[in-house]
Amino acid sequence: MSSSLHFTGDSAADDLLNQNFLALFIGMLLDQQFPIERAFLAPHRLQQRLGFDLDATALAQCSREALIEFFSEKPALHRFPKSMAERTHALCGYLVERYHGNPCDVWANISDASELRERLLALPGFGEKKVQIFVALLAKRFEIAPPGWEDIAGHYADSGFHSVADLDSHDALSKLRAQRAEEKKAK
């Protein structure tokens, strides 16, 4: 069931997503109104621009203005670099405040997926759909599957190509795009 994420087209960026949960959180945060592979490539580029490993405490201590500059540098890390830099800053601040800067503590000591859902919904920039996808991503790719995760993830728990949770290759990304195009046609 579980396999690594490999779809950005950059092996170092994929490795970062698979090894650093803050990178995964930031990629998920940026995955809106922007191509999926570029959203998840952005944490790696941000790390390169910062010159140090992605760390919630360090990013929370970084000024918003500095983070906006890192996001805005060409090529911009998102279509909306200012607002996404601010959201990233808020996310990191929240992780520091609530979880001592450790993203893994978001799912530590939970009894079931509904508790994980509540914790994820409290994160800046995470709404219901993003939470469903993230729960599926944790379960399918990282074997973090608290009881009831399928109910919380909804159709994102199903096999097939529904979200980033199903991407283990660039080919899978193409299949996801094809499926989304078909769904649009059907509407």
Side-chain angles (χ1 to χ4, degrees):
M1 178 210 287
S2 178
S3 64
S4 298
L5 291 168
H6 289 284
F7 67 93
T8 67
D10 182 307
S11 61
D14 290 334
D15 289 346
L16 182 63
L17 293 171
N18 290 303
Q19 297 165 8
N20 182 319
F21 280 108
L22 180 60
L24 195 64
F25 270 111
I26 292 170
M28 194 71 206
L29 183 70
L30 301 180
D31 184 21
Q32 59 185 46
Q33 300 179 337
F34 201 56
I36 193 169
E37 68 273 25
R38 289 185 57 202
F40 284 90
L41 176 63
H44 176 64
R45 287 190 174 156
L46 176 61
Q47 181 171 277
Q48 289 176 316
R49 292 172 187 185
L50 291 166
F52 57 82
D53 290 344
L54 289 183
D55 174 79
T57 302
L59 287 173
Q61 291 172 348
C62 186
S63 75
R64 266 203 276 234
E65 294 74 23
L67 204 51
I68 290 168
E69 286 183 34
F70 286 120
F71 268 72
S72 299
E73 183 181 312
K74 302 293 182 207
L77 298 182
H78 195 275
R79 180 177 171 198
F80 304 109
K82 181 180 185 287
S83 65
M84 291 304 168
E86 290 171 343
R87 286 182 186 182
T88 299
H89 192 266
L91 172 67
C92 290
Y94 187 87
L95 290 171
V96 169
E97 178 185 315
R98 297 290 174 112
Y99 300 104
H100 307 289
N102 185 354
C104 297
D105 284 353
V106 173
W107 49 84
N109 303 314
I110 57 170
S111 57
D112 59 26
S114 62
E115 191 174 352
L116 176 58
R117 176 186 173 274
E118 292 307 313
R119 289 183 181 191
L120 291 170
L121 278 173
L123 295 173
F126 277 65
E128 190 64 50
K129 182 177 177 183
K130 199 170 286 284
V131 166
Q132 288 180 298
I133 294 168
F134 201 75
V135 168
L137 175 64
L138 290 173
K140 289 180 173 183
R141 298 284 150 231
F142 297 97
E143 297 181 351
I144 299 166
W149 77 267
E150 297 95 336
D151 293 332
I152 299 301
H155 82 279
Y156 298 108
D158 298 342
S159 31
F161 299 97
H162 306 287
S163 72
V164 66
D166 302 309
L167 302 181
D168 60 359
S169 67
H170 204 70
D171 185 50
L173 178 59
S174 298
K175 290 177 181 176
L176 173 63
R177 286 203 168 112
Q179 182 168 321
R180 286 181 175 173
E182 285 300 315
E183 290 168 1
K184 272 188 177 181
K185 276 185 185 179
K187 287 184 180 181

